[in-house]
Amino acid sequence: MKKILVVGSGGREHSLVWKLSASSTRSKIYCAPGNAGIARQAECIPVKAEDIAGLTNFARQESVDLTVVGPEIPLTMGIVDSFREHGLLIVGPDSQAAALEGSKVFAKDFMKKYNIPTGDYRVFDSPDEARAYVRKHGTPLTVKADGLAAGKGVFVVMTEEEALTAIETILDRKAFGAAGKRIVVEEFLQGEEASFIVFTDGTTILPMPFSQDHKAVYDGDKGPNTGGMGAYSPAPVGTPEVHEKVMKKIMMPAIEGMATEGRKYQGILYAGLMIINGDPWVLEFNVRFGDPETQPLLMRMKSDLLPVLEAIGNGSLHKTRIEWDAGAAVCVVMASSGYPGRYEKGKIISGLEEAESINDAQVFHAGTARSGGHIVTNGGRVLGVTALGGTIQKAIDHTYKAVAKINWDGVYYRRDIGHKALKQ
Ligand code: AMP
Ligand code: GLY
């Protein structure tokens, strides 16, 4: 029996645990630290995702055969370096390769060097020079903190005043600490966003289908950005022609370029794209699975995930094929009202079993906990209800049918997940 460790505690990690638990290879799955939903399919261990030494020790003591990492922070901190030093098999980039997400300055300079299409940009550490540039250049623009800021370090600014506020927030007030020592000021790109995520062993690239996230908190993409309020796959904007361009102009040069830089990239690579008149431009790289994109993607994945992850770790991905469901999958995130701002926790969730009894629906847990025999809310994004359907419309219908069964005091979710795909 194999032992597998999944690192993280969100909806993305629950979908990984769910998919791995359906593997034809019988295995014991651990999750660190996990959540109340994950606890049904895995043994949750109370070690935080950022506790690299604690996770390494656990994997050594238990002789874990394979580890897969959900969030970016342990990757940029060097969890892969640490596991490899101890001869443990782990899927993900080492700290050198994880700089593709850990530093936007590194990622932009890298893309420029290898001719990967991305918006024009300038890098500043002096707020006065940044202000002078913005006044001369004018808006719209984007202003981005260099380092990791939990998705909060990116400002899309429409006026000079907003641009100056963003510069002040990051460089003068140091709202993101050391992650904001430098900023990237980047050209504003207008088009349709899509996510393109691949498996790679550093040589072979196996893509997942296109997906699309809904970052804004309210219907119609209004309101502040969140970690993601829902996702669907496939994304109609990702035509076969666009797919080929992304592979040729972005993914292949990125994987080859990283190897040339002495930062061989192994793991999951996520390109956040803007598709403009049929051409893909990179907004950002993430060095991991997307959340919530992974939930619909793994529901569409017909092949066993475990051999794919093992092949990444062993460098034998060229021997692997992946089959995908020809239909669609939609994930609706059910959140605590107030998120991404302040919200309350500890509300009793009802209707979970009824929702899961709906055909082809899965309820992936994110911010949940067990308390007094109940499952209660324990975070901003609480659940990711995900369902398959022959078409996007059918997947939307199945998902919202399951969503309607679930309730708690203060539940909030978007009603329009997937609608953009229907318009295409
Ligand atoms: P990032 O974390 O860099 O992907 O940025 C977060 C979000 O900001 C993206 O999902 C886009 O919605 C938006 N964004 C980032 N860069 C740009 C850009 N150059 N032009 C327009 N919107 C952008
Ligand atoms: N869904 C966006 C992300 O995972 O970064």
Side-chain angles (χ1 to χ4, degrees):
M1 193 152 80
K2 293 215 165 135
K3 291 184 177 177
I4 306 170
L5 170 63
V6 176
V7 177
S9 61
R12 165 181 54 203
E13 288 77 17
H14 192 185
S15 68
L16 283 164
V17 165
W18 166 80
K19 183 71 182 156
L20 288 167
S21 70
S23 172
S24 61
T25 306
R26 254 171 49 81
S27 48
K28 160 100 188 153
I29 306 176
Y30 299 97
C31 188
N35 61 40
I38 290 174
R40 284 181 304 173
Q41 285 130 9
E43 182 179 331
C44 293
I45 57 162
V47 183
K48 291 210 173 83
E50 294 86 25
D51 181 359
I52 309 293
L55 292 169
T56 309
N57 284 340
F58 174 81
R60 289 180 69 192
Q61 270 159 20
E62 292 298 321
S63 305
V64 168
D65 296 292
L66 179 80
T67 298
V68 54
V69 185
E72 62 277 15
I73 292 177
L75 293 167
T76 55
M77 284 174 73
I79 188 172
V80 171
D81 316 47
S82 171
F83 272 55
R84 288 207 187 126
E85 270 165 33
H86 292 94
L88 294 160
L89 194 64
I90 182 165
V91 174
D94 64 14
S95 57
Q96 287 290 306
L100 264 188
E101 178 168 0
S103 166
K104 291 199 187 285
V105 174
F106 172 80
K108 295 293 288 187
D109 290 347
F110 172 79
M111 286 188 264
K112 190 170 165 191
K113 183 168 175 187
Y114 291 93
N115 287 315
I116 295 172
T118 191
D120 277 338
Y121 69 101
R122 297 279 299 270
V123 177
F124 296 98
D125 54 14
S126 147
D128 287 335
E129 282 172 26
R131 283 188 271 270
Y133 174 78
V134 161
R135 288 200 183 97
K136 202 169 121 216
H137 184 283
T139 50
L141 277 174
T142 62
V143 179
K144 305 183 177 185
D146 176 37
L148 294 181
K152 293 183 187 124
V154 174
F155 298 83
V156 178
V157 292
M158 291 299 155
T159 64
E160 189 178 303
E161 197 189 333
E162 284 170 4
L164 298 177
T165 305
I167 292 168
E168 194 194 319
T169 305
I170 306 173
L171 286 178
D172 292 304
R173 286 203 294 110
K174 300 265 183 293
F176 306 106
K181 267 168 87 173
R182 293 186 293 180
I183 57 170
V184 172
V185 179
E186 186 183 305
E187 172 188 14
F188 175 78
L189 298 173
Q190 201 157 24
E192 170 117 16
E193 279 191 69
S195 307
F196 192 85
I197 311 175
V198 304
F199 298 101
T200 181
D201 59 7
T203 310
T204 301
I205 303 170
L206 278 186
M208 302 181 215
F210 269 95
S211 56
Q212 197 164 58
D213 182 12
H214 296 61
K215 287 206 167 94
V217 67
Y218 303 127
D219 285 7
D221 292 332
K222 302 272 183 344
N225 271 353
T226 67
M229 294 301 294
Y232 60 88
S233 174
V237 68
T239 60
E241 293 75 37
V242 174
H243 179 110
E244 202 182 315
K245 284 183 190 168
V246 177
M247 287 299 285
K248 266 205 187 125
K249 295 181 168 184
I250 295 167
M251 284 301 172
M252 281 150 64
I255 297 305
E256 280 167 26
M258 288 299 278
T260 308
E261 295 292 305
R263 298 177 189 247
K264 185 169 171 171
Y265 193 98
Q266 177 250 65
I268 314 301
L269 183 59
Y270 167 136
L273 304 171
M274 192 69 89
I275 314 295
I276 308 173
N277 300 324
D279 283 315
W281 297 73
V282 179
L283 298 181
E284 64 168 344
F285 281 118
N286 293 324
V287 296
R288 52 173 173 78
F289 287 101
D291 189 352
E293 291 96 324
T294 304
Q295 290 84 312
L297 285 169
L298 290 183
M299 281 197 73
R300 288 189 64 203
M301 186 173 180
K302 285 164 77 177
S303 311
D304 199 333
L305 177 62
L306 183 57
V308 179
L309 297 181
E310 287 175 329
I312 294 173
N314 297 324
S316 58
L317 204 57
H318 59 283
K319 295 185 199 144
T320 309
R321 293 284 168 277
I322 305 178
E323 256 192 89
W324 301 93
D325 187 289
V330 169
C331 170
V332 173
V333 171
M334 301 184 76
S336 301
S337 63
Y339 172 77
R342 288 160 55 107
Y343 55 82
E344 291 178 24
K345 291 185 187 176
K347 307 290 181 189
I348 294 174
I349 305 172
S350 66
L352 287 166
E353 277 167 26
E354 291 90 325
E356 279 174 335
S357 70
I358 295 206
N359 249 354
D360 291 334
Q362 291 295 329
V363 179
F364 296 121
H365 289 224
T368 66
R370 233 173 213 293
S371 171
H374 298 286
I375 304 243
V376 300
T377 65
N378 192 38
R381 293 195 289 175
V382 176
L383 303 169
V385 179
T386 313
L388 286 166
T391 60
I392 288 271
Q393 182 64 64
K394 288 199 174 118
I396 291 172
D397 294 345
H398 294 161
T399 306
Y400 277 103
K401 204 169 147 195
V403 165
K405 305 282 183 199
I406 298 175
N407 200 12
W408 68 83
D409 176 21
V411 61
Y412 170 76
Y413 54 89
R414 277 181 65 162
R415 316 265 159 172
D416 66 343
I417 302 300
H419 288 199
K420 255 189 286 185
L422 299 178
K423 278 197 214 125
Q424 296 253 337

